Amino acid sequence: MTKFSSFSLFFLIAGACMTPECFNMEIIGGSEVSPHSRPFMASIQYGGNHICGGILIHPQWVLTAAHCRARFAKGKSPKVVLGAHSLSKNEASKQTFDIKKFIPFSRFKPDLELNDIMLVKLHMAAKLDKNVQLIRLRSKDYIRSGTKCQVTGWGTNDPEFYRPSDTLQEVTVTVISRKLCNSQRYYNHKPIITKDMLCAGDARGQKDSCQGDSGGPLVCKGVLFAIVSGGHKCGNAKKPGIYTLLTKKYQDWIKSKLAPSHTN
Ligand code: ARG
């Protein structure tokens, strides 16, 4: 190719990318992470299809969203895949597990989107290596609005169609105050954003999590803060993503379920 034509090709591509479609290619507006750089990421699947994200918090336990359970089709056994980057490729790093049990939070209320958190016990402990690692649960639950956080997942990049992304994607979203998120211009208390939830989005609505990202992590300043839960459609500035905030209530619940007396 001549110098001139590669130069004009560059402008052609750059020009095409000024359209919103071009920014909506990933998670919503995100980009592919470098393979295995988020070794705590789990893909919850049935019949080989990705359903929800999850977070490895203990060699035998994955944290996810409680509403993910409703998606399991009868007759197909759910599995958890760890160590993945591409969902379709045969990666040597992958470890696949059957599920021993689901423990949704006892007061999960799907209609109100309350307490959307669940523990998943793997049939055996994962082998921790450089591609499969735990995320540490830390006891912080206060987060200022305006904080930038990363949400990661294999969720769809095409909100019209439910089709997961093949590779793991991530996008930076901004925490929105609960007051603003409950206000008329935002969710208007439908649903009520409680103290156990968090809203995060993007002023232009170009960055968001979406279908299939549920159950995955929202990490702020390197700390796991919340779990992808809901949101009205995807990529709408006034309808930001809704996350389950890992408050003390949930952290204590997790600790009690992971305590040795419960591990059978
Ligand atoms: N409930 C969706 C899921 O199951 C996640 C939706 C996130 N929506 C959003 N606008 N951030 O995958």
Side-chain angles (χ1 to χ4, degrees):
M1 204 183 282
T2 66
K3 233 184 192 162
F4 176 76
S5 63
S6 54
F7 189 71
S8 43
L9 191 65
F10 170 78
F11 279 101
L12 203 72
I13 294 168
C17 276
M18 300 314 285
T19 63
E21 289 74 31
C22 203
F23 290 102
N24 278 347
M25 288 196 306
E26 294 94 16
I27 198 173
I28 297 287
S31 54
E32 185 176 335
V33 301
S34 87
H36 313 295
S37 57
R38 309 290 183 269
F40 47 81
M41 279 301 301
S43 162
I44 302 184
Q45 312 190 341
Y46 75 76
N49 295 315
H50 172 89
I51 296 302
C52 269
I55 313 156
L56 191 68
I57 57 167
H58 172 282
Q60 209 170 350
W61 291 93
V62 166
L63 195 58
T64 186
H67 80 261
C68 291
R69 197 182 179 188
R71 292 189 182 164
F72 293 120
K74 291 212 169 70
K76 285 186 182 166
S77 60
K79 304 236 189 250
V80 171
V81 180
L82 302 173
H85 178 64
S86 156
L87 293 175
S88 65
K89 289 200 181 114
N90 249 335
E91 297 169 324
S93 56
K94 280 183 187 169
Q95 297 182 37
T96 304
F97 299 88
D98 288 327
I99 293 171
K100 196 161 182 182
K101 62 179 167 188
F102 292 106
I103 311 182
F105 194 79
S106 50
R107 280 158 286 150
F108 167 54
K109 297 266 188 299
D111 40 340
L112 298 172
E113 301 178 35
L114 279 182
N115 300 317
D116 192 8
I117 183 169
M118 175 165 75
L119 280 162
V120 178
K121 189 172 190 188
L122 310 180
H123 78 285
M124 57 185 255
K127 207 172 123 280
L128 303 184
D129 57 23
K130 71 177 202 310
N131 302 311
V132 176
Q133 283 291 319
L134 311 180
I135 197 164
R136 267 217 295 152
L137 275 176
R138 281 190 260 182
S139 52
K140 276 194 200 164
D141 63 16
Y142 173 75
I143 183 101
R144 285 170 68 135
S145 58
T147 307
K148 302 243 183 280
C149 304
Q150 283 71 43
V151 55
T152 313
W154 285 278
T156 188
N157 35 51
D158 178 356
E160 297 298 314
F161 254 118
Y162 178 72
R163 177 162 27 89
S165 160
D166 186 55
T167 54
L168 187 60
Q169 309 282 322
E170 187 168 274
V171 70
T172 298
V173 288
T174 307
V175 175
I176 296 164
S177 77
R178 189 169 300 113
K179 197 171 164 207
L180 183 62
C181 202
N182 272 317
S183 73
Q184 248 176 32
R185 288 172 56 226
Y186 283 67
Y187 279 107
N188 196 19
H189 295 96
K190 291 185 218 83
I192 299 170
I193 310 301
T194 68
K195 287 201 163 59
D196 299 322
M197 299 178 192
L198 175 146
C199 291
D202 169 60
R204 288 178 301 168
Q206 285 166 346
K207 297 173 179 178
D208 200 0
S209 44
C210 199
Q211 247 48 42
D213 288 318
S214 280
L218 183 80
V219 170
C220 313
K221 299 181 177 148
V223 178
L224 173 65
F225 265 90
I227 303 170
V228 182
S229 169
H232 181 74
K233 301 200 171 138
C234 311
N236 175 341
K238 298 291 184 282
K239 303 282 182 231
I242 302 174
Y243 296 79
T244 304
L245 185 60
L246 284 169
T247 51
K248 189 163 183 303
K249 163 174 127 177
Y250 297 132
Q251 294 182 15
D252 289 348
W253 172 75
I254 294 169
K255 277 186 209 140
S256 76
K257 297 298 174 195
L258 267 62
S261 62
H262 264 283
T263 50
N264 289 314

